[in-house]
Amino acid sequence: MLEQFFQGLTEVLKPETLAVMLLGMAIGYAVGILPGLGGAVTLALMLPFTFTMPPINAFAFLLGMLSVTATAGDITSVLFGVPGEATTAATVVDGHPMAKRGEAGRALGAALMSSMVGALIGAFALALVIPVIRPVVLAFGSPEFFMLTLLGIAFVAALSGGQVLKGLIAGGLGFLLSMIGLDQQTGIQRATFGQLELWDGIGLVAITIGLFGIPEVVDLAVRGTSIAGERAQRLGGVMEGVRDTFRHWWLTIRSSVLGAVIGVVPGLGGAVAQWVAYAHAVQTSPRTDAHGRRFSEGRIEGVLGPGAANNSKEGGNLILTVAFGVPGSVSMAILLGAFLIKGLQPGPDMLDKNVVLTFSMVWTIVIANIVTVAISLLFINQLVKITYLRGSLVIPFILFLVYFGAYAEKNAMFDVGLVLLFGALGWVMVQTSWPRPPLILGLVLGRLTERYLFLSVNRYDWEWLARPWVIVFFVAISAVIVYSIWREVSGKKPIEAEAEASVLGALEPVSVGADGEDGGDGHGADGLDGVGRPPPAEPTPERVSPGPRDAPQR
Amino acid sequence: MVVKTPHWHRARSTVGALAVVAALVLVACGPRTGAPAAERGQNLADFYSGKTVTIIVGYAPGGGFDTTARLAAKHLGKHIPGNPNIIVENMPGAGSLTATNHLYNVARPDGLTIGVFNELQVVNQVINVEGVQFDARQMGWLGNAVQSPITCTIRADSPYNTAEDLLRRDLPPLILGGTAPGAETDNFPKLMSSVIGANVRLVSGYGGTSEIRLAVESREVDGMCWSYTSVTSTAANWMDTNFIKVPVYQWTEPDPKVQQRFPTAKRLEEMVNDEASRALIRAATATSKISKPFAVPPRLPADRLKALQDAFDATMKDPEFLAEAEQARLDVLPNQAIETIRVINEILALPADVAGKLAEIIKQG
């Protein structure tokens, strides 16, 4: 096995293979930066070119393209606040506020570096589990997948940014919205209002771009400034972001592992990993950082978590595709098509007879990500300058990206209308301080949870509740929920925050524990819903880098 | 670099920017086929030369329909006079009903748009499924790419061996996986249960056939009923390792490929004695003869329709196309337009009572 592992590397390093990989990467990069122009459509367009290539080259090309779209998508999310891909929406939540503070370089550096770490871990995880993955996944059935989706939903509370009740309601709304469409089990139409375009539910790309992108554009227009409200501090540069990735080493690694594991679960789709990783980052990081900032106000951990996870999930997705022929996303479905066209059969053969090809795919992911990140780091500082352009120059470009992205998913004008509708909703949610991440998490998980529950009951009646793994997951879910609530109720800071505070306390004045300066219903550190409680008394904060003047964006 | 402008200025410029961009987007994304209405008698080669023909696929990229369309797109151009450029666009939605409706109602009948969608839409028209906004009689048909019997593939270690076994009541029900009502994975088990009283239980709701495959491998379900060409292309390792067996399938006469590989397989219609049941079975599975159809909007100028039909026929016989399809393990067993149209008309001419029974079977939860 080890021999084939390195043989895969030598295959990929052949000049011709490297060349097509670089070509694929260049295309994937361009595509990832443009919102909505998904990796999937481009992969499909490029597929015919691979018909004549030998298998290793074909997959070097396709995987090279696929590996970098998530990384490039992070760039758009941070700079413009418009998700470059549906899988990079979580990076907007904390990455874009950092850009508005003039720390775009730092956010980008962190996103790039964590993407690389995530990709490497995802790829090596793929390589490591190859001998054992088939029996492990085959031991899981619909009941276990149902419990996994429930586990994902349990993180809704962690995404609520301290306002658990609002978060739960938003999550419930997302869940409800996911039910729109044709009921898969009976064919009954739910809330489709007679629109054929709603039969498959609300397009995820449209709602993500609308919910997160439009409010940012409106905010930019209203502010009348450039994206970066102020100049970067000395600590705002790209290398600082890279250093942050290593400062929060364990978070990055945990998020990568989380992403890879989520990627292996069939049907969870690409959008879940980022939100679960974000929730995990929220739960395992101090409530406020050294500058007193909470999550969604521009916390570096909020960039590192999703940045790593949305790359590592590709490794997980690839395992599922290669070992079982079950595509986890449309991009993987195309890759699967490429498999079949080449006469390859996903399944045991890929882990046995053709394992060199599988390992070459692992190495492709590794090399593609390293090269992409290295090259990006070189010119990212130039890209950061966009954030200093006058808003009125940048807005039309962003709007074009938004509309084009919404249309391009299904070639449907209807989705453009959806973007505007959810853009309005997103804007209202921002103005009223309602958290948006729980809504999206509810949206991506809702249908899936229902499907797996239905399959479980249909197949096993109620006996599935007694299956061993189901019970294990039940305990895990309860633990997550109890912990989330306890954290909100007790308002205790983990020990790390105190240590961090004392170290940095020597450098600059800090206001540890102070609330963000929002005019909304003071979400105190001790209230479950924060309504009606006065903000805790605090000394007047002396801020070195003041945040944006208006309410924190979520 | 931080420029502040007065509030009302900003509001106006925002609205202005939004309006301009919206207008640009609407113009750019307007009716896709921009050719003006055809002039009668215009030379075909002149018309097609330098133009682009779009194939609209009713599924997301990566599936069987999409792959077939893309492979065909590669070779179709050279068989159309004027050698136009051929591109593929995906318009997924409602199991390809969105694309079908779009082709019928929105696409211009100028010979520059072709649609590929699920043949089961014809059945949806017959049983009056809500949302059908087309008439298969009026649609133009170029032919279809494959014909394939529906086979029920079950785990080799299942106690059911022959078609007669399916009638036994002493064994636990055979559990078959399905995706959604109206799909062939669901229709066939319901048909078996209704017509011959087979001891099968349908567990429907899986996201796709690949997920059902996983469920078969993990023993959650015992098997599924799907088109044989899908089995050979996406589950070849099942075949190679004898992981599955086929007790029952359906075709209007014995299919040599299936019988050779699975000698004990029996056709469903052989399990019934009366003409009415046989008619029902054939009606329910008729579309498997016109799988992966290529269609054009209604009222195309006759010469262009003929040109496209001939081009489709030629592509399906093109040795280069066939070689690539073979490598892709994509079965190509085409029908010319005339045969596709015949089968469609047969389906649409079902007597009301048969259509009614069909609707009952397919739509039951």
Side-chain angles (χ1 to χ4, degrees):
Chain A
M1 204 44 87
L2 202 60
E3 183 195 307
Q4 284 106 338
F5 184 62
F6 289 108
Q7 201 183 336
L9 177 60
T10 46
E11 291 291 329
V12 164
L13 287 179
K14 294 197 179 131
E16 202 184 278
T17 315
L18 260 181
V20 294
M21 192 199 310
L22 287 170
L23 180 61
M25 278 163 52
I27 298 176
Y29 205 88
V31 162
I33 287 207
L34 295 176
L37 185 63
V41 177
T42 322
L43 264 186
L45 281 172
M46 295 294 137
L47 198 57
F49 295 109
T50 65
F51 288 173
T52 47
M53 294 184 203
I56 290 199
N57 287 8
F59 289 110
F61 179 60
L62 294 172
L63 270 178
M65 208 185 308
L66 202 50
S67 312
V68 306
T69 48
T71 311
D74 280 332
I75 295 179
T76 322
S77 297
V78 167
L79 283 180
F80 300 118
V82 178
E85 298 273 320
T87 55
T88 59
T91 325
V92 170
V93 179
D94 271 278
H96 192 60
M98 287 181 77
K100 290 201 277 200
R101 250 196 342 253
E103 288 187 333
R106 185 177 171 208
L108 286 173
L112 285 173
M113 205 58 204
S114 62
S115 292
M116 190 177 94
V117 172
L120 290 179
I121 291 186
F124 286 122
L126 166 60
L128 272 175
V129 302
I130 279 178
V132 300
I133 191 64
R134 275 191 65 92
V136 170
V137 173
L138 286 179
F140 279 27
S142 295
E144 286 77 18
F145 294 138
F146 170 65
M147 295 310 278
L148 280 172
T149 56
L150 269 192
L151 189 59
I153 292 182
F155 284 105
V156 163
L159 288 176
S160 314
Q163 306 171 89
V164 175
L165 187 62
K166 282 187 176 178
L168 288 175
I169 295 178
L173 179 63
F175 212 90
L176 262 176
L177 285 173
S178 81
M179 297 294 157
I180 291 181
L182 221 55
D183 169 28
Q184 234 203 325
Q185 285 75 40
T186 58
I188 294 176
Q189 296 182 34
R190 297 173 179 163
T192 53
F193 303 109
Q195 300 292 325
L196 195 64
E197 293 90 343
L198 284 177
W199 277 29
D200 290 312
I202 300 185
L204 183 63
V205 172
I207 192 174
T208 307
I209 291 182
L211 210 59
F212 289 98
I214 298 264
E216 296 299 333
V217 172
V218 173
D219 177 66
L220 187 59
V222 164
R223 273 191 292 143
T225 65
S226 51
I227 293 177
E230 64 240 34
R231 279 273 164 197
Q233 302 305 308
R234 233 188 47 208
L235 296 179
V238 174
M239 287 322 288
E240 184 63 21
V242 173
R243 261 175 255 139
D244 278 315
T245 312
F246 295 105
R247 253 180 234 141
H248 299 270
W249 187 232
W250 281 120
L251 174 65
T252 311
I253 293 198
R254 283 197 314 266
S255 304
S256 307
V257 172
L258 206 54
V261 168
I262 291 178
V264 178
V265 179
L268 269 190
V272 176
Q274 53 176 337
W275 292 114
V276 175
Y278 183 78
H280 175 73
V282 170
Q283 284 203 314
T284 54
S285 307
R287 185 178 302 277
T288 53
D289 67 0
H291 300 275
R293 286 193 205 104
R294 306 165 63 93
F295 273 90
S296 83
E297 290 169 16
R299 290 282 295 272
I300 196 71
E301 295 99 327
V303 174
L304 291 173
N310 64 26
N311 282 68
S312 66
K313 74 155 181 11
E314 292 297 334
N317 277 346
L318 198 58
I319 299 177
L320 205 56
T321 308
V322 164
F324 297 97
V326 177
S329 60
V330 182
S331 308
M332 281 297 149
I334 297 172
L335 211 65
L336 194 59
F339 264 92
L340 300 178
I341 285 175
K342 293 282 164 222
L344 295 165
Q345 272 292 309
D349 275 353
M350 289 305 295
L351 311 178
D352 186 351
K353 256 193 327 182
N354 293 319
V355 73
V356 174
L357 178 61
T358 307
F359 281 133
S360 77
M361 290 193 236
V362 171
W363 284 111
T364 302
I365 298 180
V366 169
I367 294 178
N369 272 279
I370 293 181
V371 171
T372 305
V373 171
I375 295 183
S376 303
L377 285 173
L378 287 176
F379 69 79
I380 212 78
N381 274 315
Q382 305 307 313
L383 271 185
V384 168
K385 294 198 175 144
I386 296 181
T387 58
Y388 295 123
L389 284 176
R390 198 168 73 222
S392 50
L393 287 178
V394 179
I395 289 178
F397 176 66
I398 300 181
L399 276 179
F400 167 72
L401 291 181
V402 165
Y403 292 138
F404 181 68
Y407 179 79
E409 191 197 5
K410 292 190 232 159
N411 287 316
M413 274 309 279
F414 186 82
D415 282 354
V416 178
L418 275 183
V419 162
L420 291 175
L421 182 66
F422 284 101
L425 176 65
W427 184 80
V428 168
M429 288 177 85
V430 167
Q431 295 303 311
T432 52
S433 285
W434 277 69
R436 288 168 293 169
L439 194 151
I440 291 272
L441 189 61
L443 185 74
V444 301
L445 283 178
R447 274 279 193 141
L448 219 53
T449 313
E450 186 199 15
R451 172 193 296 172
Y452 282 130
L453 177 62
F454 182 84
L455 283 171
S456 303
V457 175
N458 206 1
R459 174 65 184 88
Y460 298 109
D461 294 319
W462 291 103
E463 297 162 6
W464 60 274
L465 283 169
R467 285 160 70 116
W469 275 108
V470 171
I471 297 180
V472 167
F473 281 126
F474 187 73
V475 171
I477 292 169
S478 314
V480 168
I481 294 180
V482 166
Y483 176 67
S484 306
I485 295 182
W486 170 81
R487 223 180 110 93
E488 302 303 319
V489 168
S490 68
K492 287 195 175 58
K493 286 189 299 241
I495 305 177
E496 308 150 54
E498 268 138 10
E500 200 181 326
S502 61
V503 163
L504 290 172
L507 298 179
E508 57 204 2
V510 296
S511 42
V512 177
D515 252 301
E517 71 266 270
D518 69 312
D521 52 337
H523 34 265
D526 45 333
L528 259 177
D529 56 5
V531 169
R533 292 182 189 257
E538 68 219 35
T540 319
E542 253 178 75
R543 298 196 179 263
V544 176
S545 47
R549 275 171 292 129
D550 27 340
Q553 310 273 307
R554 288 230 160 83
Chain B
M1 272 274 203
V2 172
V3 177
K4 305 261 184 97
T5 43
H7 210 104
W8 63 274
H9 249 271
R10 274 179 255 148
R12 246 184 33 176
S13 61
T14 315
V15 171
L18 272 166
V20 167
V21 177
L24 283 173
V25 167
L26 281 168
V27 166
C29 306
R32 210 167 297 109
T33 46
E39 299 167 19
R40 292 246 162 242
Q42 183 188 19
N43 182 281
L44 278 173
D46 285 339
F47 171 70
Y48 276 112
S49 166
K51 296 231 174 53
T52 301
V53 172
T54 308
I55 302 185
I56 300 182
V57 178
Y59 287 97
F65 283 84
D66 180 72
T67 312
T68 307
R70 288 182 192 274
L71 266 178
K74 248 182 114 184
H75 301 273
L76 191 63
K78 59 183 187 265
H79 296 288
I80 302 179
N83 304 323
N85 192 24
I86 320 268
I87 63 168
V88 172
E89 265 181 25
N90 299 85
M91 192 184 287
S96 78
L97 181 56
T98 307
T100 319
N101 285 343
H102 176 93
L103 188 74
Y104 191 80
N105 298 301
V106 178
R108 291 198 190 182
D110 53 11
L112 293 175
T113 316
I114 300 175
V116 179
F117 46 82
N118 196 321
E119 63 277 7
L120 282 165
Q121 295 303 337
V122 179
V123 176
N124 284 345
Q125 179 183 344
V126 172
I127 62 175
N128 292 318
V129 165
E130 198 182 322
V132 165
Q133 290 162 12
F134 62 88
D135 182 3
R137 273 179 223 103
Q138 306 285 338
M139 194 94 87
W141 300 95
L142 307 185
N144 64 283
V146 72
Q147 317 163 51
S148 179
I150 298 192
T151 50
C152 288
T153 54
I154 65 176
R155 292 178 63 103
D157 52 18
S158 159
Y160 290 86
N161 287 312
T162 63
E164 281 76 16
D165 286 343
L166 291 172
L167 301 173
R168 288 165 64 170
R169 282 285 176 291
D170 56 321
L171 293 170
L174 183 70
I175 304 194
L176 297 170
T179 52
E184 63 183 6
T185 48
D186 292 52
N187 291 351
F188 202 70
K190 291 180 191 170
L191 187 68
M192 285 199 291
S193 168
S194 288
V195 178
I196 64 171
N199 190 13
V200 297
R201 187 152 82 88
L202 176 68
V203 173
S204 181
Y206 287 96
T209 54
S210 54
E211 284 170 39
I212 306 180
R213 265 193 291 118
L214 193 61
V216 174
E217 290 180 15
S218 71
R219 292 181 173 275
E220 187 163 278
V221 299
D222 298 318
M224 71 166 138
C225 302
W226 48 330
S227 88
Y228 194 60
T229 176
S230 298
V231 182
T232 52
S233 62
T234 61
N237 62 324
W238 278 4
M239 306 265 287
D240 296 340
T241 54
N242 292 321
F243 179 73
I244 48 155
K245 54 191 173 187
V246 174
V248 67
Y249 73 108
Q250 173 54 24
W251 198 238
T252 45
E253 59 271 328
D255 183 279
K257 282 201 300 222
V258 176
Q259 299 287 181
Q260 189 197 34
R261 183 69 179 74
F262 302 101
T264 53
K266 204 167 175 187
R267 293 176 300 133
L268 185 62
E269 67 177 41
E270 287 175 49
M271 305 274 298
V272 298
N273 296 317
D274 59 312
E275 191 52 43
S277 298
R278 198 145 59 104
L280 187 59
I281 293 175
R282 288 191 173 194
T285 55
T287 48
S288 53
K289 294 222 167 202
I290 50 165
S291 196
K292 304 212 174 77
F294 282 61
V296 288
R299 288 177 296 278
L300 222 66
D303 57 338
R304 289 187 205 163
L305 178 61
K306 180 86 176 45
L308 288 176
Q309 287 172 335
D310 291 341
F312 177 79
D313 189 38
T315 308
M316 292 294 126
K317 296 180 172 131
D318 184 330
E320 281 173 26
F321 168 74
L322 290 172
E324 280 185 0
E326 162 135 11
Q327 203 201 3
R329 288 180 115 146
L330 260 182
D331 280 337
V332 178
L333 285 152
N335 278 322
Q336 294 179 326
I338 190 165
E339 176 64 15
T340 311
I341 294 172
R342 188 189 69 78
V343 174
I344 291 177
N345 284 331
E346 218 173 69
I347 298 174
L348 290 170
L350 276 180
D353 61 324
V354 180
K357 263 203 265 182
L358 195 58
E360 223 179 88
I361 294 177
I362 292 179
K363 286 182 183 171
Q364 79 191 196

